[in-house]
Amino acid sequence: MKLSHFQFNLPKELLAEYPAENRDESRLMVIDRKKQTIEHKMFKDVIDYFDDGDVLILNNTKVFPARLYGNKEKTGARIEVFLLRELNAEQRLWDVLVDPARKIRIGNKLYFGDDDSLVAEVIDNTTSRGRTLRFLYDGSYEEFRNKLTELGETPIPKYISRDVTPEDAERYQTIYAKEEGAVAAPTAGLHFSKHLLKRLEIKGVKFAEVTLHVGLGTFNPVEVEDLSKHKMDSEELKITQEACDIVNTAKAAKKRICTVGTTSMRAVESSVSSQNTLNPYDGWTNKFVFPPHDFSIPTCMITNFHTPKSTLLMMVSAFCGHDLMKRAYEEAIKEEYKFYSYGDAMLII
């Protein structure tokens, strides 16, 4: 498969600027791979597709307020700093993206907050927009992290052209988010309400939690026509023995196993044993799933509608079958489904 196979025209008005009023009332397209059918439902109807002993694999990563605005020393120019990952807690070193990058050089200092109580010094250039910052803050590590949370804002995607609202802090987060470390939400999980999870639990559905801290690399556009030459950024991944036991028990019993989102899919496909069971994992993954790919663990997946030429779309194509996926996307555009992070969902069975 080539990059050009994943190009399609997406009307701008189908990009979701806001989430659905209620989490579980976004729309749901259900695709049956065996029957080659496409149906239109509400997200809360997802419960009809799962029974006692089936498993949902959830990514419990938690988004932190990764976007900060500071001022450059002397000039006072406003600079956006996007926190990517902490490199060293003791030295307060972080990998970040800066914008506008051309103004930010090694040795520059940036000041944050009305009282300039947080300062950062640029100590390295990593990419055209990437920098390594050392934060200078008069306080304990815990106080420093609290300061970052206080000054940071919810990192809703750039395509959303409005300002961040207080509502985003809650809605750009799954209700089961626990492990802080993501700079983008695992968006398929945003559709689950407490009520819907409870109803699934009562029905006997099991939940296996994995942690994949979503980085911006997930959204990097693919720029090579030959997909095998695309390099994914690494993301931190943890799969516990407990999660493996839940999944492997269901697999042995031939129950339905559903990955909620491309991040959960990437997590489980990164740690499969030679017997096609799920293994524990603690480290980093740069797994890139694109067609053709033999999936070892999941029998179905829930996902949102993705951007043209994205790695996420390629994973969906590998799981769904390319022609069926193309048909589904044409239908989604015709039926005016909402796309991207705050958009509608798709269940592929």
Side-chain angles (χ1 to χ4, degrees), residues 281-295:
Y281 193 96
D282 193 351
W284 295 75
T285 177
N286 61 355
K287 181 85 173 167
F288 175 28
V289 179
F290 61 95
H293 181 85
D294 289 329
F295 291 85

Side-chain angles (χ1 to χ4, degrees), residues 285-333:
T285 177
N286 61 355
K287 181 85 173 167
F288 175 28
V289 179
F290 61 95
H293 181 85
D294 289 329
F295 291 85
S296 313
I297 307 287
T299 60
C300 58
M301 83 180 287
I302 293 169
T303 186
N304 279 23
F305 291 90
H306 305 294
T307 42
K309 296 185 174 179
S310 63
T311 58
L312 311 176
L313 185 64
M314 290 159 193
M315 180 189 287
V316 173
S317 162
F319 190 76
C320 183
H322 192 70
D323 292 341
L324 184 55
M325 181 212 72
K326 274 187 75 172
R327 217 175 89 214
Y329 268 62
E330 281 161 14
E331 179 97 352
I333 290 168

Side-chain angles (χ1 to χ4, degrees), residues 31-164:
I31 298 170
D32 188 316
R33 293 177 293 172
K34 204 167 166 191
K35 296 180 186 162
Q36 296 278 301
T37 55
I38 296 171
E39 291 183 285
H40 305 287
K41 306 274 186 177
M42 295 285 280
F43 191 80
K44 56 188 173 190
D45 299 329
V46 84
I47 193 166
D48 299 335
Y49 297 88
F50 297 97
D51 287 310
D52 187 26
D54 290 343
V55 171
L56 291 178
I57 300 175
L58 309 174
N59 182 5
N60 67 10
T61 187
K62 189 174 185 180
V63 180
F64 66 93
R67 194 173 275 131
L68 299 170
Y69 292 96
N71 297 97
K72 191 178 167 189
E73 64 177 337
K74 295 182 184 152
T75 66
R78 187 173 194 248
I79 306 293
E80 179 190 306
V81 172
F82 196 101
L83 302 171
L84 290 177
R85 62 178 70 91
E86 186 174 51
L87 299 173
N88 184 311
E90 206 179 315
Q91 295 182 33
R92 298 179 188 176
L93 295 182
W94 282 75
D95 249 348
V96 305
L97 295 177
V98 291
D99 192 24
R102 65 182 187 282
K103 296 183 174 178
I104 304 301
R105 298 189 175 91
I106 293 172
N108 286 162
K109 282 200 170 79
L110 300 170
Y111 292 85
F112 302 89
D114 296 336
D115 55 358
D116 295 343
S117 56
L118 181 65
V119 182
E121 184 181 2
V122 182
I123 61 167
D124 197 10
N125 285 346
T126 51
T127 61
S128 59
R129 287 181 59 214
R131 302 289 184 272
T132 302
L133 297 188
R134 177 185 286 117
F135 282 98
L136 313 166
Y137 182 71
D138 196 14
S140 67
Y141 177 74
E142 195 181 339
E143 289 166 331
F144 162 66
R145 289 301 299 247
N146 288 342
K147 194 70 179 174
L148 285 184
T149 301
E150 176 199 320
L151 293 174
E153 67 176 34
T154 305
I156 61 171
K158 278 283 195 191
Y159 77 84
I160 293 178
S161 54
R162 60 177 175 78
D163 289 339
V164 174

Side-chain angles (χ1 to χ4, degrees), residues 115-347:
D115 55 358
D116 295 343
S117 56
L118 181 65
V119 182
E121 184 181 2
V122 182
I123 61 167
D124 197 10
N125 285 346
T126 51
T127 61
S128 59
R129 287 181 59 214
R131 302 289 184 272
T132 302
L133 297 188
R134 177 185 286 117
F135 282 98
L136 313 166
Y137 182 71
D138 196 14
S140 67
Y141 177 74
E142 195 181 339
E143 289 166 331
F144 162 66
R145 289 301 299 247
N146 288 342
K147 194 70 179 174
L148 285 184
T149 301
E150 176 199 320
L151 293 174
E153 67 176 34
T154 305
I156 61 171
K158 278 283 195 191
Y159 77 84
I160 293 178
S161 54
R162 60 177 175 78
D163 289 339
V164 174
T165 66
E167 181 195 35
D168 288 313
E170 183 219 342
R171 290 303 301 273
Y172 194 61
Q173 196 82 272
T174 63
I175 59 164
Y176 47 79
K178 291 190 187 88
E179 305 292 337
E180 191 170 83
V183 299
T187 54
L190 299 180
H191 303 286
F192 285 92
S193 62
K194 284 196 173 85
H195 181 61
L196 180 55
L197 282 180
K198 195 74 202 161
R199 286 174 64 211
L200 284 159
E201 195 184 322
I202 290 164
K203 211 173 173 185
V205 175
K206 304 278 189 289
F207 305 111
E209 294 188 9
V210 297
T211 307
L212 182 86
H213 291 317
V214 191
L216 285 186
T218 294
F219 308 99
N220 279 351
V222 180
E223 287 167 344
V224 285
E225 185 64 11
D226 178 354
L227 301 185
S228 64
K229 293 192 164 52
H230 177 67
K231 296 266 187 294
M232 288 289 281
D233 277 10
S234 289
E235 293 172 321
E236 202 173 350
L237 169 62
K238 186 164 190 173
I239 302 173
T240 62
Q241 185 63 55
E242 183 190 2
C244 294
D245 293 344
I246 294 168
V247 169
N248 294 334
T249 301
K251 192 174 191 319
K254 297 197 164 24
K255 296 292 184 182
R256 188 165 264 181
I257 298 170
C258 182
T259 49
V260 176
T262 54
T263 61
S264 298
M265 179 71 86
R266 190 154 173 243
V268 298
E269 288 298 306
S270 295
S271 193
V272 178
S273 74
S274 53
Q275 283 82 42
N276 283 341
T277 55
L278 186 60
N279 275 345
Y281 193 96
D282 193 351
W284 295 75
T285 177
N286 61 355
K287 181 85 173 167
F288 175 28
V289 179
F290 61 95
H293 181 85
D294 289 329
F295 291 85
S296 313
I297 307 287
T299 60
C300 58
M301 83 180 287
I302 293 169
T303 186
N304 279 23
F305 291 90
H306 305 294
T307 42
K309 296 185 174 179
S310 63
T311 58
L312 311 176
L313 185 64
M314 290 159 193
M315 180 189 287
V316 173
S317 162
F319 190 76
C320 183
H322 192 70
D323 292 341
L324 184 55
M325 181 212 72
K326 274 187 75 172
R327 217 175 89 214
Y329 268 62
E330 281 161 14
E331 179 97 352
I333 290 168
K334 190 175 109 222
E335 295 292 328
E336 298 187 344
Y337 274 72
K338 291 290 189 192
F339 277 65
Y340 302 177
S341 301
Y342 276 151
D344 295 314
M346 171 190 279
L347 168 65

